[in-house]
Amino acid sequence: MRRVSVLGATGSIGQNTLDLIARAPDDYDVVALTGASNIAQLATDAVALKAEVAVTAREDLLDDLRDALAGSGVTAAAGAQAITEAASRPADWVMSAIVGAAGLAPGLAVAAQGNTTLALANKESLVCAGPLLLETARAAGAKIMPVDSEHSAIYQALIGEDMDAVERIIITASGGAFRDWPLEKLAEATLAEASSHPNWDMGQRITIDSASMFNKAMEIIETREFFGVRPDQIEVIVHPQSMIHALVGFNDGALMAHVGPPDMRHAIGFALHHPARQHLPVERLDLAAIGQLDFRAPDEVRWPALRLARETLERGGMMGAVFNAAKETALDRFIAGDLGFTEMSQVVAQTLDHMNTHCDHIDAKMTLDNVGRVDHLARKAAKAAVVKRAG
Ligand code: NDP
Ligand code: MG
């Protein structure tokens, strides 16, 4: 029996993870499940999977969670600290699928356990604090498996290969909801329009980030941190069908592509079973029926996020934490209706500029506290930029 925990269990990645675990109940002991607002889902899954503990990020919902778990034997807890404690409970495999920078501290707690596998969907932890997370895992002896589909694809294309022979890594982007919209219409894009993805069924925030290409921008940084390649070795290509997830180019001109259906259970299952491959309940592609795969260069006028990610990498230090915090703040304000779709990248650009000139903390030692400080200052700067725009 493998001991497993799922952080962010009530979300899109979390539910896909539980789907795989629930198919083989005799193989897994569920340790901790965590969520935030969706108490009914958290309690239902915790009871069905006989979890030791269920934790909500929201302290105001602890009583609701206790009520929902009454008599089940599952312990209830609440708050950010309780989630990090749940992440520290000894487990063989832990899925990190909380959305946003809130996933960093729990992910670090998993890595610090050593002798475990951290399945990492929470790309924000690599963007905010990649070196800190990787070093924590290395020092403790924990393994990190990428779960983002592109990074799982790169990982798979690199098996048995020599990193010195890698020339470039190409990550694909569907182009999101607005890839074919006329540019002048983008500023008017609504929340509902930005929240529907042509190929993938994901949480709302990452779906909007796909439309703005902030998701791909984050993934450029994630690729740099996880695989240690130079930023100029990382390319983005628009591939509307989302069948090829990434390609690795070698020094003999070969490109190794990873092809599969747009179903996150592949990348999750790969991380769950690695180094073995096991049967997964995903669609088998019929290439003849698909007929053709298309590619085009990304348009940096349409998607300024890509350029901002490269500037972030060039600046170095804790600029990734600034980038993420500014992006999360701008996204919150877009969801709240205070900011237009194209204004999100303007707010991020202004925040990067402001923090670069006014914040010495960016070059401080990368610790959880210092990342938290930079995150806090960047959110403040981003909010000020939003207010300025609204005014
Ligand atoms: P969802 O929004 O669907 O789920 C997010 C999860 O985090 C939920 O369990 C939610 O709880 C919980 N949560 C929200 N806020 C907090 C908080 N402050 N503290 C603790 N937990 C919180 O997101 P996704 O599943 O789409 O994405 C999760 C992560 O995986 C993100 O980092 C995303 O970028 C990454 N990812 C997702 C992919 C996808 O296909 N969805 C693909 C690749 C990467 P509740 O719902 O109960 O409020
Ligand atoms: Mg991805």
Side-chain angles (χ1 to χ4, degrees):
M1 291 283 261
R2 290 171 77 197
R3 289 172 58 83
V4 298
S5 292
V6 181
L7 315 176
T10 50
S12 164
I13 292 285
Q15 290 289 296
N16 276 309
T17 307
L18 295 188
D19 173 74
L20 295 181
I21 288 171
R23 285 166 194 261
D26 296 340
D27 293 352
Y28 304 106
D29 260 337
V30 176
V31 179
L33 299 183
T34 81
S37 303
N38 194 345
I39 299 298
Q41 188 72 54
L42 179 61
T44 303
D45 290 333
V47 172
L49 295 166
K50 303 188 180 66
E52 290 172 12
V53 54
V55 191
T56 164
R58 292 191 41 187
E59 290 178 37
D60 58 317
L61 296 181
L62 179 57
D63 286 345
D64 294 358
L65 182 60
R66 280 205 180 112
D67 289 349
L69 292 173
S72 69
V74 182
T75 305
Q81 187 56 37
I83 288 191
T84 298
E85 277 165 26
S88 308
R89 288 195 173 218
D92 302 306
W93 189 88
V94 183
M95 167 56 76
S96 163
I98 289 170
V99 65
L104 175 59
L108 282 169
V110 176
Q113 280 191 27
N115 196 26
T116 188
T117 296
L118 171 64
L120 190 64
N122 179 266
K123 62 189 82 185
E124 295 88 345
S125 19
L126 279 176
V127 173
C128 294
L132 175 63
L133 181 65
L134 295 180
E135 177 50 27
T136 303
R138 195 202 57 76
K143 176 163 119 179
I144 303 184
M145 289 298 293
V147 172
D148 211 345
S149 58
E150 296 75 6
H151 304 80
S152 174
I154 297 164
Y155 189 99
Q156 295 180 52
L158 282 171
I159 290 172
E161 302 287 356
D162 177 359
M163 274 313 284
D164 289 340
V166 173
E167 260 178 11
R168 56 184 182 146
I169 291 179
I170 306 172
I171 53 178
T172 57
S174 68
F178 304 140
R179 67 175 172 237
D180 299 318
W181 274 36
L183 269 183
E184 59 279 8
K185 249 186 86 183
L186 276 188
E188 309 303 324
T190 66
L191 178 61
E193 287 165 336
S195 302
S196 95
H197 196 283
N199 307 331
W200 293 94
D201 181 12
M202 309 186 284
Q204 185 189 38
R205 298 180 73 88
I206 185 173
T207 301
I208 301 169
D209 283 350
S210 296
S212 63
M213 216 46 117
F214 267 110
N215 181 47
K216 214 47 57 179
M218 304 271 288
E219 290 178 359
I220 293 175
I221 301 176
E222 192 184 358
T223 304
R224 152 88 188 137
E225 298 297 356
F226 195 84
F227 297 101
V229 291
R230 296 187 314 274
D232 63 277
Q233 291 178 290
I234 305 167
E235 299 172 22
V236 171
I237 189 141
V238 175
H239 165 46
Q241 291 93 351
S242 298
M243 300 284 174
I244 296 184
H245 304 299
L247 306 96
V248 177
F250 293 94
N251 57 5
D252 59 356
L255 280 175
M256 293 294 287
H258 181 278
V259 191
D263 183 333
M264 285 308 295
R265 290 177 304 177
H266 171 74
I268 296 166
F270 180 78
L272 182 60
H273 302 305
H274 184 266
R277 281 197 189 266
Q278 281 192 24
H279 178 273
L280 290 173
V282 302
E283 182 197 346
R284 272 44 177 174
L285 290 183
D286 178 346
L287 292 176
I290 292 164
Q292 75 180 63
L293 297 176
D294 300 307
F295 306 95
R296 62 176 108 138
D299 172 354
E300 294 208 358
V301 175
R302 181 179 295 268
W303 294 302
L306 298 176
R307 174 178 50 79
L308 297 174
R310 294 196 186 275
E311 285 173 16
T312 298
L313 282 176
E314 211 166 290
R315 174 57 182 78
M318 282 184 279
M319 208 50 147
V322 174
F323 181 85
N324 181 68
K327 191 278 294 179
E328 286 192 24
T329 306
L331 179 57
D332 287 340
R333 300 331 302 164
F334 174 68
I335 292 172
D338 304 338
L339 205 60
F341 182 76
T342 48
E343 285 177 322
M344 286 192 283
S345 60
Q346 296 164 13
V347 164
V348 174
Q350 278 179 26
T351 308
L352 291 173
D353 276 352
H354 176 88
M355 292 292 283
N356 192 27
T357 35
H358 292 98
C359 178
D360 308 334
H361 298 308
I362 289 170
D363 295 308
K365 185 172 163 32
M366 190 181 278
T367 61
L368 182 58
D369 281 351
N370 282 340
V371 170
R373 191 164 301 139
V374 168
D375 175 282
H376 172 75
L377 292 171
R379 281 174 206 264
K380 231 170 104 181
K383 278 180 196 147
V386 173
V387 170
K388 218 155 98 196
R389 300 206 71 75

